[in-house]
Amino acid sequence: MPHDTPLIATVVGGLVLAFIFGALANRLRMPPLVGYLLAGVAVGPFTPGFVADAHLAQELAEIGVILLMFGVGLHFSLKDLLSVKAIAIPGAVVQITLATLLGMGLAWAMGWPVGEGFIFGLALSVASTVVLLTALQERRLVETRRGQIAVGWLIVEDIAMVLALVLIPALSGILGGKGEAISNQALLVTLAITLGKVIAFVAVMLIFGRRLIPWILERIAATGNRELFRLGVLAIALGFALGSAYVFGVSFALGAFFAGMILSESKLSHRAAEESLPLRDAFAVLFFVSVGMLFDPSIIIREPWLVLATVFIIVVGKSLAALGIVLAFRHPLSTALTISASLAQIGEFSFILATLGMSLGLLSPTGRDLILAGAIISILLNPMLFVGLDRLKPWLKQRETPASREKEPEPAMWAPLQDHTVLVGFGRVGHMVAASLTQQHQPFIVIEDQIDVVTALRLDGIPALYGNAAAPGMMEAADIASARWLLVAIPHVLEAGQIIEHARKLNPQIEVVARAHSDAELVYFEEHGATHTIMGEHEIAKGMANWVLISSKEASTH
Ligand code: AMP
């Protein structure tokens, strides 16, 4: 029996339960995030049974936040943001202000101090990156104008929150929390120092970091050692987060975000994102577990009306505010509704704000529990909002005239496909397949989950869909029912199996060729309905043996 191993118990307990609850949530067609939060509740102090170490869990969760923010940075293109800034900046600012005021109004009605109302309202005003991006990706909305506005809006919210996280501790005294109630002048000095440090940090990152970070990664990539590359990515994310916090006093989150954003310009950013993904996901899960641990479910019985009012502010209040703003900017109703639905939830930033508010003595446990209840319930309701939106689609279409429709940046247009090939993945394997198909004038469509690859394909006039081929609706969008071939050229076995199975259901006659890397995968694909499976290693072996045969034949003829 192991002795006292709280760190192992917390990591293992958190991950195992998160896995079980996450799988259950997935089965019930809910976001796995809900499962992770519930797993946290289960290992938390408010429910019977095993209680994990909340302090350790929170510290581990910080790594999740760092990697999450690094990931946000990696997908943060200044160009995309600039293209929607005219609506995203005022939209996010007005919505944050309105939602904060609504939260403060509720707090005022409850007789809470102003500082608490402020933190509470602010926490209700920011949407979760994870929830929003998942919702948009599932519906293939990321590359539409609506999607870009929503993402831009979210990024402005993120930046506002990053600033809030830095400034709130400085303002804590004034807001009535821990820390001395400083004079206006002292506050201004603190503000100036904080902003000065943030500006110095941004300048150093943009001038030196911009050269240093890609240089380091390119060097490591040149060694060709994958393990070192993965380690390099993690070292950069974690090292810059911690280093910036120590040197400039900014949050871990801001340091990681900038390291990611600087890397997003590099050609290696996709690989960096890919390499940091598994660890990021594992620690992000621990983040949600640690938040769930703080949640006292009895709040739903103790304060049902307050919980309802909080959810109302998040789902209805914020949505109406967003709707009004988007319509005021003369975008069509369908755009306004999509943006409202995407933002009608709260998540990680709200949790971070709640934790910060508690540590500064600004937020009461009731306020925190309301934020957590509001987050859990609004995340649960979010997919339903989108389903409602889908139901409204015919009506919305009828209402819109061609002139009032959203101008999409690059409409994905191609003639209806028949007897074509659906090619999943356009990487090392997929692009060579595509070249052969093009040469033989075979009609085909590509599904790829890297936006820049899809954009480039479309510029070349090749039909290409953006998104995860395993996501609902993707196979249908590629007209799989009328296709002859499905070529699955991605390296992920489980996803590939899912894709094949779904395609078979829609088109039992289709011939499926899959890509395997081992004998076990070969069997797995056959069980899942692949007609042929090509194993990379077999082809390499054949190629090598052929070389020997050819050169020995040449030698014997000379
Ligand atoms: P490679 O291993 O170099 O042939 O690259 C595989 C390609 O498949 C990459 O470009 C990935 O972005 C892409 N890919 C991987 N998984 C999926 C998926 N589930 N749906 C669409 N594209 C994918």
Side-chain angles (χ1 to χ4, degrees), residues 423-556:
L423 173 61
V424 177
F426 196 83
R428 290 160 302 173
V429 177
H431 91 269
M432 291 184 72
V433 175
S436 299
L437 292 176
T438 309
Q439 226 175 30
Q440 291 160 29
H441 306 290
Q442 291 273 351
F444 69 97
I445 179 168
V446 175
I447 307 181
E448 175 43 73
D449 66 359
Q450 285 187 34
I451 183 73
D452 44 355
V453 174
V454 172
T455 311
L457 280 168
R458 285 189 189 166
L459 284 177
D460 286 347
I462 296 174
L465 291 168
Y466 166 60
N468 184 342
M474 287 305 271
M475 284 293 133
E476 289 84 345
D479 294 321
I480 196 82
S482 59
R484 261 194 79 190
W485 297 90
L486 168 67
L487 309 183
V488 188
I490 59 170
H492 317 292
V493 197
L494 295 179
E495 259 176 9
Q498 230 175 321
I499 294 166
I500 297 170
E501 218 169 330
H502 187 53
R504 270 251 166 269
K505 261 191 216 140
L506 298 171
N507 181 351
Q509 262 76 51
I510 196 156
E511 295 216 34
V512 181
V513 185
R515 159 183 173 186
H517 300 94
S518 68
D519 289 328
E521 288 181 16
L522 222 126
V523 175
Y524 177 84
F525 284 137
E526 261 149 36
E527 280 170 8
H528 279 75
T531 333
H532 314 280
T533 307
I534 313 282
M535 185 155 120
E537 281 69 8
H538 283 178
E539 300 309 308
I540 297 173
K542 275 188 213 158
M544 286 183 169
N546 262 348
W547 264 110
V548 178
L549 283 180
I550 292 168
S551 31
S552 54
K553 257 191 204 147
E554 275 172 4
S556 62

